[in-house]
Amino acid sequence: MSGDDPDSDTNAESVSKIGVDVTKIGGGLEKADNTTQLNERRIATDIGRGIQPPYNPGRLAAFMELNETHSAAVRKKARYEVGHGHDIVPHRSVSSEDASEEQFETVREFWHGSDSKWMVGPNGTAATTPEEVLEQARIDYHAIGYCAIEILTRADGTPSGLAHVPARTVRVRKAETEDNEVVKGHGYVQIRNGRTRYFGEAGDRYADEPTFVDKETGEVVTGTAENLDNEPANELIWVQNPSPLALYYGVPDWVAATRTIAADEAAKDYNHQFFEYDTIPRYAIKVTGGELKEDSKQNLRNLFQNLQGSSHRTVLLEVAKFSDGLDDDIDIELEPLSASRTQDMDFENFRERNEHEIAKVHEVPPVLLNRTETSNRSNSKEQVQEFALSVIAPEQQKFAARLYQVLHQAAFDAPDWTIEFTLRGAEQPKDEADVARSRVMASRGSMTVDEARAEVGLDPLPEEHPVDGDTLLANLGSDPIEQAMAGDRPDYLPPAENRVGERATVDFTLLDKQGVESMEFDSSNLDQGLYDPEEEELYIRFEREDGPDSLYVYLDVPPEVWEGLVNASSHGSYHYDNIRLDYAYEEITDNHSRLPEGPAPDPDEIPAGIG
């Protein structure tokens, strides 16, 4: 190895001679509470004007207008992250009982108070909402790799709201020493049409030794803003998408697909030109035994020069013989030059592949971009859940943590409360129900009926109910969970969101099909069941004491699920755990008649894992 290499043999020999004396740790050594890594060099091309980003942010932003798939993906992610609002919740470091009510009121007044101010542009633009400000910021984050949010303050420096600042107009400022080493941050500068406006770094004025930036000159002072020639600048919350290519700026995830987006734009432009002018030569005019007259050639020239808007036209061609003495006939043929149908298919396939690549790099499921070729009723919901849990939720948590640190902790001194963005599309009712029922079962009967119902999200039993809500589950006899949940329609019937249609009645000719089976259940909720293996449809009749019975048909139910229901020790529990939330269903509106009685299932046919 070379002697200049930090991993050279010389260095390795030096390291081998180093011993560790544990008695000195904590005594002779001081803790390094700041990072000791090296900074970038020669990156501030103009002192006070800002560091050059790794990519031109204006050009990155312009891609939003070039490609509809890219634009839709950016906006979809921003809306899913912050567009559905947020809740003020206790921070995980404190319990809800210990969280300060005074701090809650401070935080609530900032986010929802009538005096708070929210803007998506400079003074003079219309006031807006917190969701719109944060959504605009997140669009910047995904479009160019970073975002800037201005903290608006009252006269005493207390935050009064937030404003979105177009991140493409903002540059990071750094000072330089004589050897061109970046040593200290100096906030940010906005550059627009040759004008500049300076901003401080979020939290500077709330530190033990406050730092202030002159909004007109960019001068930096510590201690008090009275030493500035002009008003102190507002501060920016600067959030960047981490990248190994840039220290002070983020890089958007979709940069890897810039060539794909450019190719897709070129393909669209080509297609537009074709349909606008229809001048792509598909046929050649071949004349045998003669020559087109000059008038005919001119007619063809005029035709091709004026095709726009009238591609279907007729032209009369006249041909002169090469020699009157020749007996050969004169032929005019149109020779195809291209297979247009094949070209059209290639174009569609090319664009479809591009759209897929762009959506993939954004990690947005096709169903949310109105691309349903690879989606169906069952996997669309799974795609959205995966998107919400693995893509949106982590971004929400990071963004909320940043706002909490700057605003709640530093500015308001209200560390007990944070914000939690609403997460759409991540609903997993079956998983949540399974967890709740597991907790009830783990109590081994020590819960009361009402406690168990509260665990799964149900109201206490009414006073007129035959079971007392204070009764322990252990005293309910067999199948205590099913008895505790009885009496509430939303619990055992399938949820409304899984309903995909209705049927007027049950077709009694079902019994003519081979393999149809039916049975009556020994359950307080389930009355009858009928399974059609050919259509994979499961009919369930629910028995209710406090209202009319209900009849539903679950769709796309595999045979092993029916066998599991038939052989389960508790039919009601098996239905609740394995069927109710897992399958779409249709409601039978005429439910006054009982299900037709078909052959009973063979009790010996017990599938693997059931017993």
Side-chain angles (χ1 to χ4, degrees), residues 57 61 78 90 111 113 126 136 179 193 233 313 332 394 419 439 472 514-515 553 610:
W111 288 106
Q136 285 293 323
D179 63 354
N193 301 322
R313 296 172 59 187
I332 300 178
I419 60 173
R439 287 196 293 262
L472 291 175
Q514 184 176 1
V553 53
I610 304 289

Side-chain angles (χ1 to χ4, degrees), residues 60-84 120 131-144 164 168 252 254 358-359 362-365 368-370 387 391-392 395-396 424:
L60 292 179
F63 273 86
M64 289 278 289
E65 298 180 357
L66 293 178
N67 187 273
E68 66 275 15
T69 303
H70 168 58
S71 177
V74 167
R75 296 183 183 279
K76 188 69 68 174
K77 287 200 288 188
R79 185 152 300 169
Y80 262 69
E81 287 167 354
V82 299
H84 298 298
V120 292
E131 288 76 21
E132 290 178 280
V133 172
L134 299 180
E135 189 172 331
Q136 285 293 323
R138 297 303 294 182
I139 288 176
D140 278 356
Y141 178 88
H142 292 297
I144 67 176
H164 165 251
R168 60 183 172 79
W254 62 269
I358 296 167
H362 276 292
E363 298 183 280
V364 177
L368 292 181
L369 300 176
N370 297 321
F387 170 67
V391 178
I392 297 301
E395 291 293 339
Q396 287 181 327
R424 293 287 179 88

Side-chain angles (χ1 to χ4, degrees), residues 578-601:
N578 300 282
I579 299 174
R580 186 180 74 96
L581 299 175
D582 289 51
Y583 300 97
Y585 69 91
E586 294 180 354
E587 184 173 1
I588 309 296
T589 56
D590 181 8
N591 54 24
H592 301 294
S593 301
R594 294 180 63 78
L595 286 171
E597 294 184 9

Side-chain angles (χ1 to χ4, degrees), residues 278-351:
D278 201 16
T279 56
I280 305 301
R282 293 184 177 176
Y283 294 91
I285 301 174
K286 179 181 178 182
V287 180
T288 304
E291 181 182 9
L292 290 177
K293 290 186 176 181
E294 192 59 37
D295 289 344
S296 295
K297 293 180 181 179
Q298 188 59 43
N299 287 340
L300 282 174
R301 295 188 189 100
N302 294 336
L303 174 68
F304 287 119
Q305 290 173 359
N306 298 281
L307 273 178
Q308 184 176 359
S310 56
S311 58
H312 301 285
R313 296 172 59 187
T314 303
V315 62
L316 182 62
L317 302 178
E318 294 184 82
V319 180
K321 277 190 174 184
F322 288 128
S323 172
D324 292 336
L326 297 176
D327 294 331
D328 295 340
D329 293 332
I330 298 175
D331 293 328
I332 300 178
E333 298 178 79
L334 296 180
E335 292 284 349
L337 297 181
S338 64
S340 60
R341 299 285 295 178
T342 302
Q343 287 181 336
D344 290 343
M345 292 178 62
D346 289 344
F347 173 80
E348 293 176 2
N349 292 335
F350 178 71
R351 286 221 62 206

Side-chain angles (χ1 to χ4, degrees), residues 47-200:
I47 298 177
R49 296 284 292 182
I51 301 169
Q52 190 72 14
Y55 294 94
N56 186 312
R59 292 180 182 176
L60 292 179
F63 273 86
M64 289 278 289
E65 298 180 357
L66 293 178
N67 187 273
E68 66 275 15
T69 303
H70 168 58
S71 177
V74 167
R75 296 183 183 279
K76 188 69 68 174
K77 287 200 288 188
R79 185 152 300 169
Y80 262 69
E81 287 167 354
V82 299
H84 298 298
H86 64 265
D87 295 318
I88 301 172
V89 298
H91 190 263
R92 61 178 179 272
S93 62
V94 297
S95 65
S96 56
E97 293 81 7
D98 296 334
S100 167
E101 287 297 322
E102 182 179 355
Q103 292 183 22
F104 173 81
E105 287 301 320
T106 300
V107 172
R108 187 198 63 79
E109 185 63 26
F110 170 76
W111 288 106
H112 305 298
S114 58
D115 294 336
S116 296
K117 195 171 185 179
W118 310 93
M119 304 181 69
V120 292
N123 285 333
T125 55
T128 181
T129 64
E131 288 76 21
E132 290 178 280
V133 172
L134 299 180
E135 189 172 331
Q136 285 293 323
R138 297 303 294 182
I139 288 176
D140 278 356
Y141 178 88
H142 292 297
I144 67 176
Y146 45 92
C147 64
I149 305 172
E150 181 182 5
I151 304 175
L152 308 179
T153 60
R154 297 185 173 88
D156 62 356
T158 303
S160 60
L162 300 174
H164 165 251
V165 180
R168 60 183 172 79
T169 67
V170 181
R171 300 291 183 270
V172 178
R173 295 179 63 224
K174 295 292 172 183
E176 296 180 338
T177 61
E178 293 182 359
D179 63 354
N180 209 32
E181 178 82 8
V182 177
V183 295
K184 183 177 175 59
H186 281 257
Y188 311 91
V189 57
Q190 183 184 32
I191 306 172
R192 265 189 157 173
N193 301 322
R195 298 178 299 160
T196 58
R197 177 57 50 85
Y198 296 91
F199 295 89

